[in-house]
Amino acid sequence: MQRLEMASAQFCSGRVLLRVIALCAESRPMLEEFQASIWHNKVRRESEGSYMESVERVEAKRTVLRPATGPNGETLRNERMFIAGDWVSAASGGTFEKKNPYTGETISRVAAGKREDARRAIDAAAAAFPAWSATPPGVRRGLLLKAADVLDARQLEIAKVLAEETGGTFGWGMFNCIFASGMLREAAAQAYGLIGEIIPSDLPDTVAMATRQPVGVVVGIAPWNAPMILGVRAIALPLAYGNTVVLKASEESPGTHLAIAKTLEEAGFPKGVINVITNAPADAAEVVDELIAHPKVRRISFTGSTKVGRIIAEKAGRYLKRALLELGGKAPMIVLEDADIDAAVAAASFGAFMNQGQICMSTERIVVEQAVAEEFAQKLAAKAKALKVGDPMQPETQIGSMIHGGAVERVQGLVDDASAKGAKILSGGRSQGSCYSPTVVHNVLPTMRIYHEESFGPVVSVVVAKDAEDALRIANDTEYGLSSAIFSRDINKAMRLAERLETGICHINGATVHDEPQMPFGGVKDSGWGRFGGKAALDEFSELRWMTLRRTPTPYPI
C-alpha cells in the first residue's frame, strides 16, 4: 500500500497509471485479500458477515450502504442521493438496479430521482451559496485538502465500487482515485485564485477595477468512463472559487459518483454545498432539463458524447446560460518516418487500449508515413495480442469489460465494415463475452466507417500517409478536435505540425491519453468548448465584473 500511495504525488496520467498497474500486480498478497473480501460474488456471499462489518466501520455515520437483497439472495448496495447534507431516497420512492457489466449480476439498488429531486438539490445548493461564497478562501482550501486525504484513505473501497459498476480494472480504479485526489489538491491551491486587477481609467480621480466573484449554483454532469476523475473535475474548482454544486451522477456509475459526496461529507463540507442526485436512464432527459432550466442554476459543465453535448448546448442557449462542454474525440497520432518506432508503439498501445479504449482522449487513428507503416503496424499488433483480456477483478487483467453489450456490438460493426471494405485486421477483431480483444485495423481508408466514427472501444486504425503534409491533412480530416500526438526525432518539424493540428491538445513524443489537474483541458470543433483545469477554469466558474470608485464628485452635462 505504501508504494501505491507514493504514486498519488504524481499526475502524469500515462506514467502513473502504468506504474499503478505494475504495483498492483506486484502487491499480490494485498490484492488476494482484497479479492477475497470484495471482488468475487461467491466468496463475498460466503463471507457476508465480515464484509458488512467492514462496510459498517467505514460508513458508521451513514445509511447509504444499507444491505438489500437481490433475486438470488446476494447482498446489494442501497444507494441514496445526497441532498442538503442528508442521504435521501427519491421523492417518488422509485429505484433502479445497476448491474455489473462483466458478470451481469445486480450489484446495487439506486434512488431513481426525477425533476422534483433535481429541484430539491438545486434549492439546497442555492440556500448554501451565500454562506459558502463568503467563507474565507483559507477555509475552503483546508476542506479541499481534507477531502483529498479522505479520498486517499478510501482508495480500495472506491476502486472496488468503480470496477464493479464499469467493468474497469483494479489499476484503473486506483488511478482514478489517485488522480482525483490530485485534482482536489490543485483546487485547494486555486482557492485564492479569485484575483482582480486595477485598470487605468480616463476619468479623473477614479479607480477602475475588474473583480471576480463566484457565480452561484454550478451543475456538473459527469460520465461513467473515468467516473472518479471526471466527477471530481466537475465540482472541485467550482467549490474552490466559492460556488455550490449539484452533480448529476451517471446511471452507469452511481455508486462511484456518490462516493464523492461521501468523501466531502467526511471532510466536513457544510450542508448543501455539495449535492449528488441519481436517476434511472429513462428519467435522464427530465432531470437534465430541470438542471439546466432552473433559474437558480448559473453554470453547467458536461462531459460526454457530442450527440448529447449538442442537446445540452441547445438547452443552455435557450436559457442564456454558459456551458462548459468536453465532448467526443477521434484522437489522431502522427508517426513520422524518423520517429522512435518502439516508443511510438508503446504510446499507441497505451493510448488506444487503456480502459478498453473508453477514454475521450483514446488514440483512434494512427497516421503513419509510408516508409515505416508496415513495421509500426506489425509491432503494434504484436503488442496488442500480448495484452491479457478478461475478468476485471483479476490483478493481471489489462483489458476488462466494455460498459454494456451495445458498446461491444458497435465496435464489432465498425471492425466488420472496415474488413469488408479491404482493411487488414492484424489483431483481435472479436469479442469475448462483454470484453473485446485489442484490435489493430491496418490500411484504413475514408470509405470506412471507422475512419470517421468514434469507436470508444479497444480498436485503433492505422492510416498510411505519403509524407508529413499528407499525415497532417489526414489527422485534421475529422469533425473532432480534442487530443492528438506526434512522434518524431525532429522536434522543430513536430512543433510546426503541432501548431497546425486542429485540436485543443497535442503531445509531442507522448500518448494522446494524458492529463494533469493544472493544465487547460478541452477541445475544438465538435469536441466542445471551454477549458477545465487550473487557472483556465477561472473563466468558466467565476463572474468577471467591472467596478469603479470616484474619489470626488463628477460634473455631468445634464
Side-chain angles (χ1 to χ4, degrees):
M1 273 305 290
Q2 277 188 325
R3 299 176 70 192
L4 284 173
E5 290 168 356
M6 288 173 62
S8 66
Q10 306 171 57
F11 307 130
C12 179
S13 61
R15 292 172 185 166
V16 171
L17 181 50
L18 291 173
R19 186 61 184 142
V20 167
I21 293 170
L23 291 174
C24 291
E26 294 169 13
S27 305
R28 187 75 189 212
M30 177 190 73
L31 290 180
E32 288 177 350
E33 180 181 355
F34 184 71
Q35 289 173 302
S37 61
I38 295 177
W39 290 121
H40 296 298
N41 287 331
K42 180 178 183 297
V43 176
R44 184 176 61 188
R45 287 194 294 270
E46 293 172 354
S47 59
E48 180 182 338
S50 60
Y51 171 73
M52 290 310 301
E53 287 172 7
S54 66
V55 168
E56 289 168 2
R57 284 196 300 271
V58 174
E59 303 298 328
K61 297 181 180 181
R62 301 176 183 83
T63 59
V64 184
L65 296 180
R66 289 175 180 169
T69 303
N72 300 318
E74 68 272 25
T75 299
L76 307 180
R77 293 192 308 273
N78 184 16
E79 306 282 17
R80 302 164 77 189
M81 296 181 290
F82 189 66
I83 299 177
D86 292 321
W87 296 96
V88 299
S89 301
S92 67
T95 62
F96 70 99
E97 292 184 345
K98 169 59 189 163
K99 296 182 182 296
N100 181 317
Y102 182 75
T103 66
E105 295 181 355
T106 300
I107 55 175
S108 61
R109 188 166 293 133
V110 186
K114 295 180 182 290
R115 186 181 295 273
E116 180 181 349
D117 301 291
R119 192 176 298 124
R120 282 197 294 162
I122 295 166
D123 289 342
F129 175 69
W132 180 247
S133 61
T135 299
V139 175
R140 298 199 300 268
R141 176 180 179 232
L143 286 169
L144 286 162
L145 290 173
K146 175 62 176 175
D149 291 340
V150 172
L151 180 52
D152 287 342
R154 300 183 62 185
Q155 287 176 359
L156 286 179
E157 174 198 351
I158 295 171
K160 161 254 183 182
V161 175
L162 186 154
E164 281 189 336
E165 289 187 328
T166 69
T169 63
F170 172 76
W172 180 245
M174 288 296 291
F175 173 71
N176 263 253
C177 294
I178 291 168
F179 196 93
S181 174
M183 298 180 98
L184 288 168
R185 296 184 196 283
E186 168 61 20
Q190 292 293 327
Y192 291 94
L194 290 175
I195 298 173
E197 60 180 336
I198 302 296
I199 304 172
S201 172
D202 288 329
L203 285 178
D205 214 17
T206 298
V207 178
M209 298 165 282
T211 65
R212 286 196 178 272
Q213 64 186 49
V215 300
V217 177
V218 174
V219 164
I221 304 174
W224 53 265
N225 57 315
M228 204 64 194
I229 293 172
L230 300 178
V232 168
R233 187 178 75 173
I235 63 145
L237 282 169
L239 289 173
Y241 296 140
N243 303 291
T244 53
V245 297
V246 177
L247 175 64
K248 192 198 93 65
S250 168
E251 301 91 333
E252 300 288 1
S253 59
T256 308
H257 283 151
L258 287 166
I260 297 172
K262 287 182 270 183
T263 298
L264 270 61
E265 180 196 29
E266 188 170 326
F269 276 73
K271 292 184 176 183
V273 170
I274 167 73
N275 306 271
V276 181
I277 61 171
T278 55
N279 60 269
D283 300 322
E286 164 188 331
V287 170
V288 169
D289 183 71
E290 183 64 29
L291 291 173
I292 296 173
H294 197 295
K296 293 178 183 176
V297 171
R298 299 314 310 152
R299 292 285 195 277
I300 302 103
S301 76
F302 170 79
T303 301
S305 70
T306 296
K307 178 181 177 181
V308 177
R310 291 184 191 280
I311 298 172
I312 300 292
E314 289 172 2
K315 287 183 179 292
R318 186 181 310 149
Y319 296 101
L320 300 178
K321 295 184 181 180
R322 186 165 167 174
L324 170 55
L325 305 173
E326 195 254 283
L327 309 177
K330 188 74 178 172
M333 175 175 153
I334 295 175
V335 182
L336 300 182
E337 61 182 6
D338 69 338
D340 181 332
I341 297 301
D342 290 338
V345 166
S349 178
F350 171 78
F353 304 134
M354 179 51 59
N355 195 38
Q356 300 72 255
Q358 298 173 132
I359 302 174
C360 57
M361 302 171 279
S362 289
T363 307
E364 291 259 347
R365 290 192 303 161
I366 305 174
V367 188
V368 191
E369 280 199 85
Q370 192 168 15
V372 294
E374 194 63 30
E375 176 190 1
F376 176 89
Q378 293 299 332
K379 285 187 173 182
L380 179 58
K383 194 169 183 67
K385 291 175 183 177
L387 296 174
K388 181 172 177 54
V389 181
D391 189 348
M393 315 310 181
Q394 297 295 331
E396 64 270 18
T397 296
Q398 296 166 299
I399 306 296
S401 174
M402 299 286 284
I403 190 63
H404 49 62
V408 175
E409 291 175 7
R410 172 174 170 75
V411 169
Q412 190 65 63
L414 293 173
V415 173
D416 290 346
D417 174 78
S419 178
K421 294 175 181 176
K424 297 178 181 178
I425 312 302
L426 300 185
S427 68
R430 63 188 183 281
S431 62
Q432 301 179 31
S434 64
C435 302
Y436 200 88
S437 298
T439 301
V440 177
V441 185
H442 191 21
N443 290 326
V444 168
L445 301 173
T447 55
M448 302 169 187
R449 287 175 54 202
I450 200 168
Y451 181 93
H452 302 282
E453 297 181 27
E454 182 181 21
S455 70
F456 218 62
V459 178
V460 67
S461 305
V462 178
V463 185
V464 180
K466 292 180 293 185
D467 52 31
E469 283 298 316
D470 191 40
L472 178 66
R473 177 192 63 80
I474 294 169
N476 284 335
D477 185 21
T478 174
E479 62 190 11
Y480 298 107
L482 184 56
S483 186
S484 60
I486 301 173
F487 271 78
S488 173
R489 287 188 171 93
D490 187 338
I491 301 304
N492 289 330
K493 184 177 184 179
M495 278 296 295
R496 284 191 287 270
L497 288 173
E499 289 167 355
R500 297 162 62 196
L501 271 172
E502 298 167 357
T503 60
I505 303 162
C506 182
H507 304 297
I508 296 175
N509 293 329
T512 62
V513 176
H514 177 84
D515 191 14
E516 300 181 51
Q518 74 276 20
M519 299 301 177
F521 188 96
V524 298
K525 300 198 290 190
D526 284 5
S527 289
W529 62 61
R531 295 294 182 268
F532 287 98
K535 294 181 180 179
L538 184 63
D539 286 334
E540 309 295 344
F541 300 120
S542 69
E543 208 71 77
L544 183 63
R545 301 185 66 207
W546 174 34
M547 300 178 67
T548 63
L549 170 64
R550 299 184 184 183
R551 294 191 175 98
T552 57
T554 302
Y556 297 101
I558 59 173

